[in-house]
Amino acid sequence: MDADATSTGATADAGPAGDPELAPHLLDYLDHVGIRAGVSYAEVACEICGGTDFAVLCETVDIGRDRRGRLPVTGCRDCGFVMQNPRFNPEFYEEYYNRFYRSHLFGSAEPEKAFIVDQIRRGEALLASLAPWLAPEPGHLLDVGSSAGGLMVPFARRGWTVLGSDPDLGYVEFGRRRLGLDILPVAAEDMELPQAQFDLVIITGSLEHVFDVNRVMQVCRRAAKPGSLLLIEGRAYGYGLLNGFFSHSHRRYLTQASIRLLMAKHGWTPLWATADPICGPTRPGGVYCLGRAAEPADADTLAALVRDGAGDGIDRLIAETEALRGAAP
């Protein structure tokens, strides 16, 4: 069972200068975000179980500026993993997150004060929520997709050694210059980290944005100490249900069940999962799962988990998303 984000064979290419070999609705989307050159588009296998049988949950998503675009959100019929499919090539996403993501979202290449204050408050809430599971002495923290790094500030104030990573160069520079934090200006897949270094890894929302979720999980597992903890937040699915639409910025839409499966696949034993707002009230719709470093599930074990219903049922996903704008007929 190979569940890497590899192509299933159906591809289209916009050409080196953006020649219109892609479908018109895709070219319209690319023009909307301002990236056309060298873009390709391909169907991919399920990132958890490797399945290729999907149900379309939503045909269209919100693409910002009061517009919708056709970028199908699908659910794997085998394990229930919810993901955008087909996908653009990694170079498209690299450029999008480096140059456009937060300026499209917030209208600025640097964070506003309110954003940083909220990050720090969320970090305080997270630290308090995790306190029963943490050792009494400070440790090493890795924040994957840290943005400007505000969540790490409460940990650093209490003696933790902290390291963040984010591909958004403007936000990384702000965190380095204004908050004095150590943040790598790099995509999560490309992090170069020491082995067995970190006592706690947190990924609060950014796992839904990365291009290759399996690669990111592997990098994090190698960098984690034996017995260390991993906290993953998934927000895109629940927030989409609350708002009545999914966003184009997410490659996948995590649920408690899919986070548990990802953890098991990559060597983390889930300890608990919750929809309680353990990072505070400002990010509604989120779900959280805490896991402890263990041995990765082999292919047979993962297949058995899927077969025994550890994932989300596709019929329930279809029912939950039926009312969303852009839901598939």
Side-chain angles (χ1 to χ4, degrees):
M1 178 183 294
D2 182 2
D4 292 338
T6 53
S7 170
T8 62
T11 63
D13 198 324
D19 296 329
E21 297 177 25
L22 291 175
H25 68 274
L26 295 176
L27 295 173
D28 179 65
Y29 171 73
L30 294 175
D31 287 337
H32 178 71
V33 298
I35 305 171
R36 175 76 83 88
V39 177
S40 60
Y41 196 61
E43 294 180 0
V44 296
C46 174
E47 294 171 312
I48 290 182
C49 74
T52 56
D53 187 10
F54 295 93
V56 177
L57 304 178
C58 290
E59 288 281 3
T60 64
V61 295
D62 178 78
I63 61 174
R65 302 173 186 168
D66 298 320
R67 289 191 57 191
R68 301 185 62 77
R70 185 182 165 196
L71 296 174
V73 175
T74 65
C76 175
R77 291 189 181 274
D78 295 322
C79 73
F81 193 57
V82 181
M83 54 188 281
Q84 197 179 102
N85 200 11
R87 300 268 182 85
F88 295 110
N89 54 318
E91 292 79 9
F92 165 81
Y93 297 114
E94 180 179 1
E95 185 171 4
Y96 175 70
Y97 284 107
N98 276 342
R99 296 176 51 198
F100 297 100
Y101 170 59
R102 287 196 171 92
S103 62
H104 272 252
L105 196 62
F106 301 116
S108 173
E110 279 199 351
E112 296 183 356
K113 180 180 179 180
F115 177 88
I116 298 299
V117 170
D118 180 66
Q119 273 205 317
I120 294 172
R121 288 175 177 169
R122 286 169 49 218
E124 291 282 3
L126 178 61
L127 182 55
S129 297
L130 295 181
W133 299 89
L134 299 175
E137 65 277 2
H140 287 75
L141 167 68
L142 173 65
D143 185 354
V144 180
S146 62
S147 180
L151 263 74
M152 299 189 292
V153 169
F155 289 85
R157 287 172 175 170
R158 290 164 176 81
W160 282 69
T161 301
V162 301
L163 176 67
S165 73
D166 200 276
D168 189 302
L169 303 182
Y171 277 56
V172 167
E173 181 58 26
F174 184 95
R176 287 171 152 182
R177 186 181 71 253
R178 300 288 294 275
L179 302 179
L181 296 168
D182 189 5
I183 307 176
L184 303 174
V186 66
E189 295 91 336
D190 300 325
M191 293 185 297
E192 295 184 2
L193 302 170
Q195 292 194 19
Q197 176 74 37
F198 296 97
D199 303 279
L200 173 64
V201 179
I202 60 174
I203 315 177
T204 53
S206 64
L207 203 61
E208 293 170 312
H209 293 273
V210 301
F211 181 78
D212 188 341
V213 67
N214 289 293
R215 170 69 178 162
V216 174
M217 293 292 285
Q218 291 163 1
V219 170
C220 290
R221 182 62 186 86
R222 284 197 296 269
K225 289 181 180 177
S228 61
L229 297 171
L230 168 66
L231 187 282
I232 294 178
E233 175 198 32
R235 186 169 176 249
Y237 186 80
Y239 192 62
L241 294 182
L242 288 174
N243 281 286
F245 55 83
F246 288 138
S247 167
H248 72 117
S249 294
H250 301 112
R251 311 286 78 73
R252 59 203 61 83
Y253 304 78
L254 297 177
T255 65
Q256 292 185 37
S258 60
I259 295 173
R260 287 178 181 272
L261 283 176
L262 276 171
M263 283 190 170
K265 177 179 179 180
H266 291 286
W268 306 85
T269 298
L271 300 173
W272 51 257
T274 183
D276 294 337
I278 65 171
C279 287
T282 58
R283 285 166 64 88
V287 295
Y288 303 86
C289 187
L290 184 71
R292 190 176 299 280
E295 291 299 314
D298 60 28
D300 291 339
T301 301
L302 185 64
L305 287 172
V306 171
R307 188 171 56 249
D308 294 341
D312 292 294
I314 191 63
D315 291 338
R316 180 177 64 80
L317 293 172
I318 291 172
E320 285 181 346
T321 57
E322 185 176 8
L324 297 191
R325 287 180 290 169

